Amino acid sequence: MALSDRSRESLLPSFLYASSARSFAATGAAARLPVSSPAPATAGAGGGVPFSIQAPKEKIEMYSPAFYAACTAGGIASCGLTHMAVTPLDLVKCNMQIDPAKYKSISSGFGILLKEQGARGFFRGWVPTLLGYSAQGACKFGFYEFFKKYYSDIAGPEYAQKYKTLIYLAGSASAEVIADVALCPFEAVKVRVQTQPGFARGLSDGLPKFVRSEGVLGLYKGIVPLWGRQIPYTMMKFASFETIVELIYKHAVPVPKSECSKTTQLGISFAGGYIAGVFCAIVSHPADNLVSFLNNAKGATVGDAVKKLGLWGLFTRGLPLRIVMIGTLTGAQWGIYDAFKVMVGLPTTGGVTPAPAAEAELKASA
């Protein structure tokens, strides 16, 4: 088998690397060798010996505890790092939402922050951002993979294929409910640090100050609007990503996913993530304005936010900046997440879903 074929096979899912399949291939190769010749440990690319499927980095069984642990770790890397990297954009966005009279545009917002707080001020609140979104990413991606498999098993192969978009939506919504419980305390402190100069330098002094002022339950004051922002966002993020990536492989890429290089697959993950991120920003923006307003003002209610911002303001204030931020953020998250999966030997997310009959045949032959 040619070297290009060998590299293509390294992209196949882990159930194709079952020990029985490898043993069968190795046995078949040994049976064609002379009796006196020992079976080679590995076959050369041009030595004429049939090549058995190998995956040097494939050490994790799909849907095993190690698989979910890897997805959790990938989620930590993808969400924590990307949100921390866009802290300056987030800082300007939050201040535009809280004080639009002062922060009238993106460019003026950066100028005001630079003048008042210096260059270091652009990363105010980076610690709660890093820790909060790392915790959220761990739950978001880890539980998404779990619930997607769980709901698919409940539906069965035929209905899982037929209603796969509903499974993506249900799995991502279930995961985000848990993820936001982890994120909410950090988000509350982050918004207060970023929008009230002098409140605190960061998480270490901001968290105890916040608790003294509003109590532990005050950290979860914004949980409902946070769910309102993040659950639609995440449902759109995962369902649209899975659909967009599948369409790209079906209609824009001239070869099957299994024949694409890992670099190409990761590029498709980034592109699909960026497009999905634009939809995410639009869907979740009103709730994002609510979260910023409630966490900035002590004792504020949703009614206060609607009265002050207005319905049009809820949907549009800070939206262009958030589209740029969330599009880039979501694209980078999917790129990092899938790069981590590839690094540990797992296939990238999304692509053409095999028919249920084909899946059954693969399981039967494994």
Side-chain angles (χ1 to χ4, degrees), residues 13 15-16 63 149 152-153 156-158 160-162 164 352-366:
F15 59 77
L16 295 182
Y63 310 118
K149 176 69 163 57
S152 296
D153 288 344
E158 181 181 353
Q161 170 68 15
K162 186 176 181 180
K164 57 188 175 183
V352 179
T353 306
E359 292 185 69
E361 290 174 7
L362 288 170
K363 290 180 180 178
S365 63

Side-chain angles (χ1 to χ4, degrees), residues 228-363:
R229 180 187 80 183
Q230 289 299 130
I231 292 176
Y233 164 86
T234 301
M235 292 171 71
M236 181 65 75
K237 173 179 180 175
F238 284 89
S240 61
F241 172 82
E242 298 260 17
T243 302
I244 290 166
V245 167
E246 182 173 342
L247 290 174
I248 290 174
Y249 280 115
K250 275 185 176 180
H251 303 294
V253 179
V255 296
K257 178 182 178 180
S258 60
E259 297 185 18
C260 295
S261 67
K262 292 178 181 178
T263 302
T264 299
Q265 291 189 29
L266 293 176
I268 290 172
S269 292
F270 176 82
Y274 197 100
I275 297 170
V278 173
F279 295 123
C280 292
I282 296 170
V283 166
S284 62
H285 192 66
D288 183 63
N289 274 321
L290 285 176
V291 170
S292 295
F293 186 90
L294 292 176
N295 284 327
N296 177 68
K298 183 177 180 180
T301 65
V302 173
D304 295 333
V306 174
K307 188 179 297 184
K308 182 171 182 179
L309 301 177
L311 286 177
W312 180 252
L314 277 178
F315 280 88
T316 60
R317 183 167 293 172
L319 181 60
L321 178 58
R322 192 158 185 267
I323 286 176
V324 174
M325 186 181 83
I326 297 299
T328 306
L329 196 75
T330 308
Q333 285 177 357
W334 278 113
I336 293 171
Y337 178 67
D338 275 350
F340 185 87
K341 289 176 72 176
V342 167
M343 183 181 71
V344 299
L346 291 169
T348 58
T349 309
V352 179
T353 306
E359 292 185 69
E361 290 174 7
L362 288 170
K363 290 180 180 178

Side-chain angles (χ1 to χ4, degrees), residues 141-156:
F141 282 93
F143 280 110
Y144 172 69
E145 299 286 0
F146 171 80
F147 283 118
K148 183 169 71 169
K149 176 69 163 57
Y150 178 73
Y151 294 142
S152 296
D153 288 344
I154 291 175

